[in-house]
Amino acid sequence: MTVKITPLAFCLPLLALAACGEEPAPEPVATPVVEAEPVVSLPAPDEALFAEVFAETCPEAEAVNTSVCRRAMGAETVSCEYGLGEDEYLRNDATLEIGESGDAWVIADAETVCAQ
């Protein structure tokens, strides 16, 4: 007994397999894009910047000779130690904070700092 396979009988399983998986892909969902708020980044206070801020805040005081400013990770204030005039030692201290406008460093408690 011989079985005669016609080309159509051979193609039917292939057509059944080809029909599987031809579901349309779901439409891509557009995700809303959230724009980040602009972040104002101030320069890290160094010796020159501290001397400038100090001179603007305390115009009648001696000029800053040397300074070291440190900012703790995540802190909004900067702690600075400095020496005035000919003094090369860090005998004074001040705290810098971001000004009300948000674009510059200012000395916190300026009256006390200028009186030192």
Side-chain angles (χ1 to χ4, degrees):
M1 173 187 257
T2 339
V3 178
K4 185 176 181 185
I5 299 178
T6 62
L8 181 62
F10 181 71
C11 292
L12 283 177
L14 290 177
L15 289 174
L17 283 175
C20 293
E22 285 198 26
E23 295 178 17
E27 292 288 325
V29 178
T31 55
V33 177
V34 178
E35 292 185 29
E37 292 182 24
V39 176
V40 177
S41 62
L42 296 176
D46 58 5
E47 193 169 16
L49 181 65
F50 179 76
E52 180 183 327
V53 171
F54 186 84
E56 289 174 3
T57 306
C58 308
E60 297 188 17
E62 293 184 73
V64 172
N65 179 33
T66 184
S67 66
V68 175
C69 294
R70 294 179 186 95
R71 183 177 189 180
M73 186 176 289
E76 294 185 14
T77 60
V78 178
S79 175
C80 297
E81 296 176 333
Y82 60 96
L84 297 174
E86 298 295 318
D87 192 3
E88 58 189 53
Y89 297 103
L90 305 173
R91 299 183 197 273
N92 305 299
D93 57 0
T95 301
L96 295 180
E97 62 187 7
I98 300 172
E100 289 180 16
S101 62
D103 61 352
W105 291 107
V106 295
I107 295 178
D109 196 15
E111 287 182 22
T112 304
V113 171
C114 292
Q116 291 182 2

